[in-house]
Coordinates of all heavy atoms in Angstrom, one line a residue:
M1 N 58.4 87.2 43.1 CA 59.4 86.2 42.8 C 59.9 85.5 44.1 O 60.1 86.2 45.1 CB 60.7 86.8 42.2 CG 60.7 86.7 40.7 SD 62.3 87.3 40.1 CE 62.2 86.5 38.5
N2 N 60.0 84.2 44.1 CA 60.5 83.6 45.3 C 62.0 83.3 45.1 O 62.6 83.5 44.1 CB 59.7 82.3 45.6 CG 59.8 81.3 44.5 OD1 60.8 81.2 43.8 ND2 58.8 80.4 44.4
L3 N 62.5 82.7 46.2 CA 64.0 82.5 46.2 C 64.4 81.5 45.1 O 65.4 81.6 44.5 CB 64.4 82.0 47.6 CG 65.9 81.7 47.8 CD1 66.6 83.0 47.5 CD2 66.1 81.2 49.2
E4 N 63.6 80.5 44.9 CA 63.9 79.4 43.8 C 64.0 80.1 42.4 O 64.8 79.7 41.6 CB 62.9 78.3 43.9 CG 63.1 77.4 45.1 CD 64.5 76.8 45.2 OE1 65.0 76.3 44.2 OE2 65.0 76.8 46.3
E5 N 63.1 81.0 42.1 CA 63.1 81.6 40.8 C 64.3 82.5 40.7 O 64.9 82.6 39.6 CB 61.8 82.5 40.7 CG 60.6 81.6 40.5 CD 59.3 82.5 40.5 OE1 59.4 83.7 40.9 OE2 58.3 82.0 40.1
L6 N 64.8 83.1 41.7 CA 66.0 84.0 41.6 C 67.2 83.1 41.5 O 68.2 83.5 40.9 CB 66.1 84.9 42.9 CG 65.1 86.0 43.0 CD1 65.2 86.7 44.3 CD2 65.3 87.0 41.9
K7 N 67.2 81.9 42.1 CA 68.4 81.1 42.2 C 68.6 80.3 40.9 O 69.7 80.0 40.5 CB 68.2 80.1 43.3 CG 69.4 79.3 43.6 CD 69.1 78.4 44.8 CE 70.2 77.4 45.0 NZ 69.9 76.3 45.9
R8 N 67.6 80.1 40.1 CA 67.7 79.3 38.8 C 68.6 79.9 37.8 O 69.5 79.2 37.3 CB 66.3 79.1 38.2 CG 66.3 78.2 37.0 CD 65.0 77.9 36.4 NE 63.9 77.7 37.4 CZ 62.7 78.3 37.4 NH1 62.4 79.1 36.4 NH2 61.9 78.1 38.4
P9 N 68.6 81.2 37.5 CA 69.6 81.8 36.6 C 71.0 81.7 37.1 O 71.9 81.5 36.3 CB 69.2 83.3 36.5 CG 67.7 83.3 36.9 CD 67.6 82.2 37.9
L10 N 71.2 81.8 38.4 CA 72.6 81.6 38.9 C 73.1 80.2 38.7 O 74.2 80.0 38.4 CB 72.6 82.0 40.4 CG 72.3 83.5 40.7 CD1 72.3 83.7 42.2 CD2 73.4 84.3 40.1
D11 N 72.2 79.2 38.9 CA 72.6 77.8 38.6 C 72.9 77.6 37.2 O 73.9 76.9 36.9 CB 71.4 76.9 39.0 CG 71.2 76.8 40.6 OD1 72.2 77.2 41.3 OD2 70.1 76.4 41.0
E12 N 72.2 78.2 36.3 CA 72.5 78.1 34.8 C 73.8 78.7 34.5 O 74.6 78.1 33.7 CB 71.4 78.8 34.0 CG 70.1 78.0 34.1 CD 68.9 78.8 33.4 OE1 69.2 79.8 32.8 OE2 67.8 78.3 33.6
I13 N 74.1 79.8 35.1 CA 75.4 80.5 34.9 C 76.6 79.6 35.4 O 77.6 79.4 34.8 CB 75.5 81.9 35.6 CG1 74.5 82.8 34.8 CG2 76.9 82.4 35.6 CD1 74.3 84.1 35.5
A14 N 76.4 79.0 36.6 CA 77.4 78.2 37.2 C 77.7 76.9 36.4 O 78.8 76.4 36.4 CB 77.0 77.8 38.6
E15 N 76.7 76.5 35.6 CA 76.9 75.3 34.8 C 77.4 75.6 33.4 O 77.6 74.7 32.6 CB 75.6 74.5 34.7 CG 75.2 73.9 36.0 CD 73.8 73.3 36.0 OE1 73.2 73.1 34.9 OE2 73.3 72.9 37.0
S16 N 77.5 76.9 33.0 CA 77.9 77.3 31.7 C 79.4 76.9 31.5 O 80.2 76.7 32.4 CB 77.7 78.8 31.5 OG 78.7 79.5 32.2
L17 N 79.7 76.8 30.2 CA 81.1 76.4 29.8 C 82.1 77.4 30.3 O 83.1 76.9 30.8 CB 81.2 76.3 28.3 CG 82.5 75.9 27.7 CD1 83.0 74.5 28.2 CD2 82.5 76.0 26.2
E18 N 81.9 78.7 30.2 CA 82.8 79.6 30.6 C 83.2 79.5 32.1 O 84.3 79.6 32.5 CB 82.4 81.1 30.3 CG 82.3 81.4 28.9 CD 80.9 81.0 28.3 OE1 80.0 80.5 29.0 OE2 80.8 81.0 27.0
F19 N 82.1 79.3 32.9 CA 82.4 79.2 34.4 C 83.1 77.9 34.7 O 84.1 77.9 35.5 CB 81.0 79.2 35.1 CG 81.2 79.2 36.6 CD1 81.5 80.4 37.2 CD2 81.0 78.1 37.3 CE1 81.7 80.4 38.6 CE2 81.2 78.1 38.7 CZ 81.5 79.2 39.3
Q20 N 82.8 76.8 34.0 CA 83.5 75.6 34.2 C 85.0 75.7 33.8 O 85.8 75.2 34.6 CB 82.8 74.4 33.4 CG 81.4 74.1 33.8 CD 81.4 73.6 35.3 OE1 82.2 72.9 35.7 NE2 80.3 74.0 36.0
L21 N 85.3 76.3 32.7 CA 86.6 76.5 32.3 C 87.4 77.3 33.3 O 88.6 77.0 33.6 CB 86.7 77.1 30.9 CG 86.3 76.2 29.8 CD1 86.3 77.0 28.5 CD2 87.2 75.0 29.6
A22 N 86.8 78.4 33.8 CA 87.5 79.3 34.7 C 87.8 78.6 36.0 O 88.8 78.8 36.6 CB 86.7 80.6 34.9
R23 N 86.9 77.7 36.4 CA 87.0 77.0 37.7 C 88.1 76.0 37.6 O 88.7 75.6 38.6 CB 85.7 76.4 38.1 CG 85.2 76.9 39.3 CD 84.0 76.2 39.9 NE 83.5 75.1 39.1 CZ 82.3 74.6 39.2 NH1 81.5 75.0 40.1 NH2 81.9 73.6 38.5
N24 N 88.3 75.4 36.4 CA 89.2 74.3 36.3 C 90.6 74.6 35.7 O 91.3 73.8 35.2 CB 88.5 73.2 35.3 CG 87.3 72.7 36.0 OD1 87.2 72.5 37.2 ND2 86.3 72.3 35.1
L25 N 90.9 75.9 35.7 CA 92.2 76.3 35.2 C 93.3 75.8 36.1 O 93.2 75.7 37.3 CB 92.3 77.8 35.2 CG 91.5 78.6 34.1 CD1 91.7 80.1 34.2 CD2 92.0 78.1 32.7
D26 N 94.4 75.4 35.4 CA 95.6 74.9 36.2 C 96.4 76.2 36.5 O 96.7 77.0 35.6 CB 96.4 74.0 35.3 CG 95.7 72.7 35.1 OD1 95.0 72.2 36.0 OD2 96.0 72.1 34.0
L27 N 96.7 76.3 37.7 CA 97.5 77.5 38.2 C 99.0 77.2 37.8 O 99.5 76.1 37.8 CB 97.4 77.7 39.7 CG 96.0 78.0 40.1 CD1 96.0 78.1 41.7 CD2 95.6 79.3 39.5
P28 N 99.7 78.2 37.4 CA 101.1 78.0 37.1 C 101.9 77.6 38.3 O 101.6 77.9 39.5 CB 101.6 79.4 36.6 CG 100.6 80.4 37.1 CD 99.3 79.6 37.3
T29 N 103.0 76.8 38.1 CA 103.8 76.4 39.2 C 105.1 77.2 39.2 O 105.6 77.6 38.1 CB 104.1 74.9 39.1 OG1 104.7 74.7 37.8 CG2 102.9 74.0 39.2
R30 N 105.6 77.4 40.4 CA 106.8 78.2 40.5 C 108.0 77.2 40.3 O 108.1 76.2 41.0 CB 106.9 78.8 41.9 CG 108.1 79.7 42.0 CD 108.1 80.4 43.4 NE 107.0 81.4 43.4 CZ 107.2 82.7 43.2 NH1 108.4 83.2 43.0 NH2 106.2 83.5 43.3
V31 N 108.9 77.6 39.4 CA 110.1 76.7 39.2 C 111.2 77.1 40.1 O 111.5 78.3 40.3 CB 110.6 76.9 37.7 CG1 111.8 76.1 37.4 CG2 109.4 76.6 36.8
A32 N 111.7 76.1 40.8 CA 112.8 76.4 41.7 C 114.1 76.7 40.9 O 114.4 76.0 40.0 CB 113.1 75.2 42.6
L33 N 114.8 77.8 41.3 CA 116.0 78.2 40.7 C 117.2 77.5 41.4 O 117.2 77.3 42.6 CB 116.2 79.7 40.7 CG 115.1 80.5 40.0 CD1 115.4 82.0 40.2 CD2 115.1 80.2 38.5
A34 N 118.2 77.2 40.7 CA 119.5 76.8 41.3 C 120.0 77.9 42.1 O 119.7 79.1 41.9 CB 120.5 76.3 40.2
A35 N 120.8 77.6 43.1 CA 121.4 78.6 44.1 C 122.1 79.7 43.3 O 122.1 80.8 43.8 CB 122.3 77.9 45.1
N36 N 122.8 79.4 42.3 CA 123.6 80.4 41.6 C 123.0 80.9 40.3 O 123.6 81.5 39.5 CB 125.0 79.8 41.3 CG 124.9 78.6 40.4 OD1 123.8 78.1 40.1 ND2 126.1 78.1 39.9
Q37 N 121.7 80.6 40.1 CA 121.0 81.0 38.9 C 120.0 82.2 39.1 O 119.2 82.1 40.0 CB 120.2 79.8 38.3 CG 119.7 80.0 36.9 CD 119.0 78.8 36.4 OE1 118.4 78.0 37.2 NE2 118.9 78.6 35.1
S38 N 120.2 83.2 38.3 CA 119.3 84.3 38.4 C 118.0 84.1 37.6 O 117.9 83.1 36.8 CB 119.9 85.6 37.9 OG 120.0 85.6 36.5
R39 N 117.0 84.9 37.8 CA 115.7 84.7 37.1 C 116.0 85.0 35.6 O 115.4 84.3 34.8 CB 114.7 85.7 37.6 CG 114.2 85.4 39.0 CD 113.0 86.1 39.3 NE 112.6 85.9 40.7 CZ 112.0 84.8 41.1 NH1 111.7 83.9 40.3 NH2 111.6 84.7 42.4
I40 N 116.9 85.9 35.3 CA 117.1 86.1 33.9 C 117.8 84.9 33.2 O 117.4 84.5 32.1 CB 118.0 87.4 33.7 CG1 117.2 88.6 34.1 CG2 118.5 87.5 32.3 CD1 118.0 89.9 34.2
E41 N 118.8 84.3 33.9 CA 119.4 83.1 33.4 C 118.4 82.0 33.2 O 118.4 81.3 32.2 CB 120.5 82.7 34.3 CG 121.7 83.6 34.3 CD 122.7 83.2 35.4 OE1 122.3 82.6 36.4 OE2 123.9 83.6 35.2
S42 N 117.5 81.9 34.1 CA 116.4 80.9 34.0 C 115.5 81.1 32.8 O 115.2 80.2 32.1 CB 115.6 80.9 35.3 OG 114.5 80.0 35.2
A43 N 115.2 82.4 32.6 CA 114.3 82.7 31.4 C 115.1 82.4 30.1 O 114.5 81.9 29.2 CB 113.9 84.2 31.5
L44 N 116.4 82.8 30.1 CA 117.2 82.5 28.9 C 117.3 81.0 28.7 O 117.4 80.6 27.5 CB 118.5 83.2 29.0 CG 118.5 84.7 29.0 CD1 119.9 85.3 29.2 CD2 118.0 85.2 27.6
A45 N 117.4 80.2 29.7 CA 117.6 78.8 29.6 C 116.3 78.2 28.9 O 116.4 77.2 28.2 CB 117.8 78.1 30.9
A46 N 115.1 78.8 29.2 CA 113.9 78.3 28.6 C 113.7 78.7 27.2 O 112.8 78.2 26.5 CB 112.7 78.8 29.5
L47 N 114.5 79.7 26.7 CA 114.3 80.2 25.4 C 114.3 79.2 24.3 O 113.5 79.2 23.4 CB 115.3 81.4 25.1 CG 115.0 82.2 23.9 CD1 113.6 82.8 23.9 CD2 116.1 83.3 23.8
P48 N 115.3 78.3 24.2 CA 115.3 77.3 23.2 C 114.0 76.4 23.1 O 113.6 76.1 22.0 CB 116.5 76.4 23.5 CG 117.4 77.3 24.3 CD 116.5 78.2 25.1
A49 N 113.5 76.1 24.3 CA 112.2 75.3 24.3 C 111.1 76.1 23.7 O 110.2 75.6 23.0 CB 111.9 74.8 25.7
I50 N 111.0 77.4 24.0 CA 110.0 78.2 23.5 C 110.1 78.4 22.0 O 109.1 78.3 21.3 CB 110.0 79.6 24.2 CG1 109.7 79.5 25.7 CG2 109.1 80.6 23.5 CD1 110.0 80.7 26.5
L51 N 111.3 78.6 21.5 CA 111.5 78.7 20.1 C 111.2 77.4 19.4 O 110.6 77.5 18.3 CB 113.0 79.1 19.8 CG 113.4 80.6 20.2 CD1 114.8 80.8 20.1 CD2 112.5 81.6 19.5
A52 N 111.5 76.3 20.0 CA 111.1 75.0 19.4 C 109.6 74.8 19.3 O 109.1 74.3 18.3 CB 111.7 73.9 20.2
K53 N 108.9 75.3 20.3 CA 107.4 75.2 20.2 C 106.9 76.1 19.1 O 105.9 75.7 18.4 CB 106.8 75.5 21.6 CG 106.9 74.5 22.6 CD 106.3 74.9 23.9 CE 106.4 73.8 25.0 NZ 105.7 74.1 26.2
L54 N 107.4 77.3 19.0 CA 107.0 78.2 18.0 C 107.2 77.6 16.6 O 106.4 77.6 15.7 CB 107.7 79.5 18.1 CG 107.3 80.5 19.2 CD1 108.2 81.7 19.2 CD2 105.9 80.9 19.0
E55 N 108.4 77.0 16.4 CA 108.8 76.4 15.1 C 107.9 75.2 14.8 O 107.4 75.0 13.7 CB 110.2 76.0 15.2 CG 110.7 75.5 13.8 CD 112.2 75.2 13.9 OE1 113.0 76.1 14.3 OE2 112.6 74.1 13.5
A56 N 107.5 74.4 15.8 CA 106.7 73.3 15.6 C 105.3 73.7 15.2 O 104.6 73.0 14.5 CB 106.6 72.4 16.9
A57 N 104.8 74.9 15.6 CA 103.5 75.4 15.3 C 103.6 76.3 14.0 O 102.7 77.0 13.7 CB 103.0 76.2 16.4
N58 N 104.7 76.3 13.3 CA 105.0 77.1 12.1 C 104.8 78.6 12.4 O 104.2 79.4 11.6 CB 104.1 76.7 11.0 CG 104.5 75.4 10.4 OD1 105.6 75.0 10.4 ND2 103.5 74.6 10.0
L59 N 105.3 79.0 13.6 CA 105.2 80.4 14.0 C 106.6 81.0 14.1 O 107.6 80.2 14.3 CB 104.5 80.6 15.3 CG 103.0 80.1 15.3 CD1 102.5 80.2 16.7 CD2 102.2 81.0 14.4
K60 N 106.7 82.3 14.0 CA 108.0 83.0 14.2 C 107.9 84.0 15.3 O 106.8 84.5 15.6 CB 108.4 83.7 12.9 CG 108.6 82.8 11.8 CD 109.0 83.6 10.5 CE 109.2 82.7 9.3 NZ 109.4 83.4 8.1
P61 N 109.0 84.3 16.0 CA 108.9 85.3 17.1 C 108.6 86.7 16.4 O 108.9 86.9 15.2 CB 110.4 85.3 17.7 CG 111.0 84.1 17.2 CD 110.3 83.6 16.0
S62 N 108.1 87.5 17.2 CA 107.8 88.9 16.7 C 109.1 89.6 16.4 O 110.1 89.4 17.1 CB 107.0 89.7 17.7 OG 105.8 89.1 18.0
P63 N 109.1 90.5 15.4 CA 110.4 91.2 15.2 C 110.7 92.2 16.3 O 109.8 92.5 17.1 CB 110.0 92.0 13.9 CG 108.6 92.1 13.8 CD 108.0 90.8 14.5
D64 N 111.9 92.6 16.4 CA 112.3 93.5 17.5 C 111.5 94.8 17.3 O 111.3 95.3 16.2 CB 113.8 93.8 17.4 CG 114.6 92.6 17.8 OD1 114.1 91.7 18.5 OD2 115.8 92.6 17.5
A65 N 111.1 95.4 18.4 CA 110.4 96.7 18.4 C 111.4 97.8 18.1 O 112.5 97.8 18.5 CB 109.7 96.9 19.7
D66 N 110.8 98.9 17.5 CA 111.6 100.1 17.2 C 111.7 100.9 18.5 O 111.1 100.6 19.5 CB 111.1 100.9 16.1 CG 109.7 101.4 16.4 OD1 109.0 100.9 17.3 OD2 109.2 102.3 15.7
A67 N 112.6 101.9 18.5 CA 112.9 102.7 19.7 C 111.6 103.4 20.2 O 111.4 103.4 21.5 CB 113.9 103.8 19.4
Y68 N 110.8 103.9 19.4 CA 109.5 104.6 19.8 C 108.6 103.6 20.5 O 108.1 103.9 21.6 CB 108.8 105.2 18.6 CG 107.4 105.7 19.0 CD1 107.3 106.9 19.8 CD2 106.3 105.0 18.7 CE1 106.0 107.3 20.1 CE2 105.0 105.4 19.1 CZ 104.9 106.6 19.8 OH 103.7 107.0 20.2
T69 N 108.5 102.4 20.0 CA 107.6 101.4 20.6 C 108.1 101.0 22.0 O 107.4 100.8 22.9 CB 107.4 100.2 19.7 OG1 106.9 100.6 18.4 CG2 106.5 99.1 20.3
L70 N 109.4 100.8 22.1 CA 110.0 100.4 23.4 C 109.8 101.5 24.4 O 109.4 101.2 25.5 CB 111.5 100.1 23.2 CG 111.9 98.9 22.4 CD1 113.4 98.9 22.2 CD2 111.4 97.6 23.1
L71 N 110.0 102.7 24.0 CA 109.8 103.9 24.9 C 108.4 103.9 25.4 O 108.0 104.1 26.5 CB 110.3 105.2 24.3 CG 110.0 106.4 25.2 CD1 110.8 106.4 26.4 CD2 110.3 107.7 24.4
R72 N 107.5 103.8 24.4 CA 106.0 103.8 24.8 C 105.6 102.7 25.7 O 104.9 103.0 26.7 CB 105.2 103.7 23.5 CG 103.7 103.9 23.7 CD 103.0 104.1 22.4 NE 101.5 104.1 22.6 CZ 100.8 105.1 23.1 NH1 101.4 106.2 23.3 NH2 99.5 105.0 23.2
R73 N 106.1 101.5 25.5 CA 105.8 100.4 26.4 C 106.3 100.7 27.8 O 105.6 100.5 28.8 CB 106.4 99.1 25.9 CG 105.7 98.6 24.7 CD 106.5 97.4 24.2 NE 105.9 96.9 22.9 CZ 106.5 95.9 22.2 NH1 107.6 95.4 22.5 NH2 105.9 95.6 21.1
V74 N 107.6 101.1 27.9 CA 108.2 101.4 29.2 C 107.4 102.5 29.9 O 107.1 102.5 31.1 CB 109.7 101.7 29.1 CG1 110.2 102.3 30.4 CG2 110.4 100.5 28.7
S75 N 107.2 103.6 29.2 CA 106.5 104.7 29.8 C 105.1 104.4 30.3 O 104.7 104.7 31.4 CB 106.4 105.9 28.7 OG 105.8 107.0 29.3
L76 N 104.3 103.6 29.5 CA 103.0 103.2 29.9 C 103.1 102.3 31.1 O 102.2 102.4 32.0 CB 102.2 102.6 28.8 CG 101.8 103.6 27.7 CD1 101.3 102.8 26.5 CD2 100.7 104.5 28.2
D77 N 104.0 101.4 31.1 CA 104.2 100.5 32.3 C 104.5 101.2 33.6 O 104.0 100.8 34.6 CB 105.2 99.4 32.0 CG 104.7 98.3 31.0 OD1 103.5 98.3 30.8 OD2 105.6 97.5 30.5
L78 N 105.5 102.1 33.5 CA 106.0 102.8 34.7 C 105.1 103.9 35.2 O 105.0 104.1 36.4 CB 107.4 103.3 34.5 CG 108.4 102.2 34.2 CD1 109.8 102.8 33.9 CD2 108.5 101.2 35.3
T79 N 104.5 104.7 34.3 CA 103.8 105.9 34.7 C 102.3 105.8 34.3 O 101.5 106.6 34.9 CB 104.3 107.1 34.0 OG1 104.1 107.1 32.6 CG2 105.8 107.3 34.3
G80 N 101.9 104.9 33.4 CA 100.5 104.8 33.0 C 100.2 105.9 32.0 O 99.1 106.1 31.6
L81 N 101.2 106.6 31.5 CA 101.1 107.7 30.6 C 102.0 107.5 29.4 O 103.1 106.9 29.5 CB 101.4 109.1 31.2 CG 100.6 109.5 32.4 CD1 101.2 110.7 33.1 CD2 99.2 109.8 32.0
P82 N 101.6 108.0 28.2 CA 102.5 107.9 27.1 C 103.7 108.8 27.2 O 103.6 109.8 28.0 CB 101.6 108.3 25.9 CG 100.5 109.1 26.5 CD 100.3 108.6 27.9
P83 N 104.8 108.6 26.5 CA 105.9 109.4 26.7 C 105.7 110.8 26.1 O 104.8 111.0 25.3 CB 107.0 108.7 25.9 CG 106.3 107.9 24.9 CD 105.0 107.5 25.6
T84 N 106.4 111.8 26.7 CA 106.2 113.2 26.2 C 107.0 113.3 24.9 O 107.8 112.5 24.6 CB 106.9 114.2 27.2 OG1 108.3 113.9 27.3 CG2 106.3 114.1 28.6
P85 N 106.6 114.3 24.1 CA 107.3 114.5 22.8 C 108.8 114.7 23.0 O 109.6 114.3 22.2 CB 106.7 115.8 22.3 CG 105.3 115.8 22.9 CD 105.4 115.2 24.2
E86 N 109.2 115.4 24.1 CA 110.6 115.6 24.4 C 111.3 114.3 24.6 O 112.4 114.0 24.2 CB 110.8 116.5 25.6 CG 110.3 117.9 25.4 CD 108.8 118.1 25.6 OE1 108.2 117.2 26.2 OE2 108.3 119.1 25.1
A87 N 110.7 113.4 25.4 CA 111.3 112.1 25.7 C 111.4 111.2 24.4 O 112.4 110.5 24.2 CB 110.4 111.3 26.8
I88 N 110.4 111.3 23.6 CA 110.4 110.6 22.3 C 111.6 111.1 21.5 O 112.3 110.3 20.9 CB 109.1 110.8 21.5 CG1 107.9 110.1 22.3 CG2 109.2 110.2 20.1 CD1 106.6 110.4 21.8
S89 N 111.7 112.4 21.4 CA 112.8 112.9 20.5 C 114.2 112.5 21.1 O 115.0 112.1 20.3 CB 112.7 114.5 20.5 OG 113.7 115.0 19.8
A90 N 114.3 112.6 22.4 CA 115.6 112.3 23.0 C 115.9 110.8 22.9 O 117.1 110.4 22.6 CB 115.6 112.7 24.5
F91 N 114.9 110.0 23.1 CA 115.2 108.5 23.0 C 115.4 108.0 21.6 O 116.3 107.2 21.4 CB 114.0 107.8 23.7 CG 114.3 106.3 23.9 CD1 115.1 105.9 25.0 CD2 113.7 105.4 23.1 CE1 115.3 104.6 25.2 CE2 114.0 104.0 23.3 CZ 114.8 103.6 24.3
T92 N 114.6 108.5 20.7 CA 114.8 108.0 19.3 C 116.0 108.6 18.6 O 116.5 108.0 17.7 CB 113.5 108.3 18.5 OG1 113.3 109.7 18.5 CG2 112.3 107.5 19.0
S93 N 116.5 109.7 19.1 CA 117.7 110.3 18.4 C 119.0 109.8 19.1 O 120.1 110.0 18.5 CB 117.7 111.8 18.5 OG 117.8 112.2 19.9
D94 N 118.9 109.0 20.2 CA 120.1 108.5 20.9 C 120.6 107.3 20.0 O 119.9 106.3 19.8 CB 119.7 108.0 22.3 CG 120.9 107.6 23.1 OD1 122.1 107.6 22.5 OD2 120.7 107.2 24.2
S95 N 121.8 107.3 19.6 CA 122.3 106.2 18.7 C 123.1 105.2 19.5 O 123.6 104.2 18.9 CB 123.3 106.8 17.7 OG 124.4 107.5 18.3
S96 N 123.2 105.3 20.8 CA 123.9 104.3 21.6 C 123.1 103.0 21.7 O 121.9 103.1 21.6 CB 124.3 104.8 23.0 OG 123.2 105.1 23.7
D97 N 123.7 101.9 22.0 CA 123.0 100.6 22.1 C 122.6 100.6 23.6 O 122.1 99.9 24.2 CB 123.9 99.5 21.7 CG 124.0 99.4 20.2 OD1 123.2 99.9 19.5 OD2 125.0 98.8 19.8

């Protein structure tokens, strides 16, 4: 095999739709926050627009997650491991908000 024969499949891949889409993605832009606005306030301010887009697409927000699901998400995010049975029992039996 010569160099041109090896190069041809790479050229075909580079011209494929997937590669073109990945190359042409628009990067997200950072929104400037007001001096007295926190990131949480900024996210909450965007919520009505997000809900309007969902409604326009005939979609609804997901229902609130139960205590077990919330604990599992946090545990996996922070430790990479599922919660222990003891943590599940303590968290799901806690009645405080």
